[in-house]
Amino acid sequence: AHVYIELLTDLRHPRREDEKPSARSQAGLRPVDDTVQVSALEAATEHRRLVLIGTPGSGKTTFVRHLCLCFAQHFRHPEASWLGRLQRSGWKGTALVPVVVELRFYARTLAPDIKDKPQPCALWDFFVSHTLKKNSLDGLSDSLLRAVEEGRGLVIFEGLDEVPTGPQRDHVKQAIEEFAAAAQFKASRVLVTCRSRAYAQP
C-alpha cells in the first residue's frame, strides 16, 4: 500500500477550474490541454459496470488487489484511514465488500467446447465452492451474498483473457452478463479485468 502507484485510464475528463493551468503556464510554447486522465479508481466510482482492459503488466491485477486490500482493511481497522486512501485518490463512495472470482479457475470446471447456457448464479456458486468452502469460510457465504444483493459489494471477475478456449470465453462472458442482469445481483457493482488483445477478439 505504501508504494502503490495510481493506475490511469485512457478516458479523459474536462479539468475543473482549480485544475486548469495558470496564466503563466499558458504563456508557454506547448498547447494547454483542458482535459485530465481519469484514474481506474475514478472510473470504478462512476461506473457500476466496468471492464478494465490493458496490456500485460499494465497494472490491472495490482489495481484490483490494492482496491480489495483498502476495503478489507477498512472493515478490520476503520480507524486507520484505509478508506481515506481511496477517497484521496478519487473514490467517492463508501467502503464495499470485495468479492474476487478468478476466471481461470472457473474455466477449469468447463469442457473446452462448452455450449450450454450458464445460469445467473453459476459464477456465484463457483465462488462459494471454490473460494469459500476450500478455505473453510463457507460460513460467510450468507453475509457476503446479502452484501452483494443490497449493493454493498464489489464483485470482481479477474482475468477474462485467462479463459483458454473460444467457446469457454463465450460461456464465461455470458455468465458474467447473466450475473449482472439477474434481479438478485442487479444492485451490486461489477468489475471485469481483461487483456486488450483478448477482449478485442471476436
Side-chain angles (χ1 to χ4, degrees), residues 80-101:
S81 193
W82 284 92
L83 183 61
R85 290 171 187 253
L86 297 179
Q87 290 172 335
R88 285 191 293 274
S89 298
W91 180 259
K92 297 180 178 67
T94 57
L96 299 175
V97 177
V99 173
V100 181
V101 181

Side-chain angles (χ1 to χ4, degrees), residues 133-178:
K133 287 186 178 177
K134 277 194 173 181
N135 291 285
S136 301
L137 296 171
D138 41 314
L140 295 175
S141 60
D142 288 344
S143 57
L144 286 175
L145 179 60
R146 190 158 50 252
V148 170
E149 289 175 336
E150 293 174 356
R152 295 182 289 109
L154 172 63
V155 183
I156 300 167
F157 297 109
E158 170 77 340
L160 180 59
D161 56 280
E162 296 180 56
V163 179
T165 72
Q168 286 178 332
R169 196 173 297 161
D170 289 341
H171 177 90
V172 171
K173 175 178 171 288
Q174 192 174 11
I176 294 170
E177 290 173 343
E178 291 287 336

Side-chain angles (χ1 to χ4, degrees), residues 118-136:
Q119 296 298 312
C121 59
L123 288 166
W124 183 264
D125 291 344
F126 170 77
F127 168 73
V128 171
S129 62
H130 178 270
T131 302
L132 297 185
K133 287 186 178 177
K134 277 194 173 181
N135 291 285
S136 301

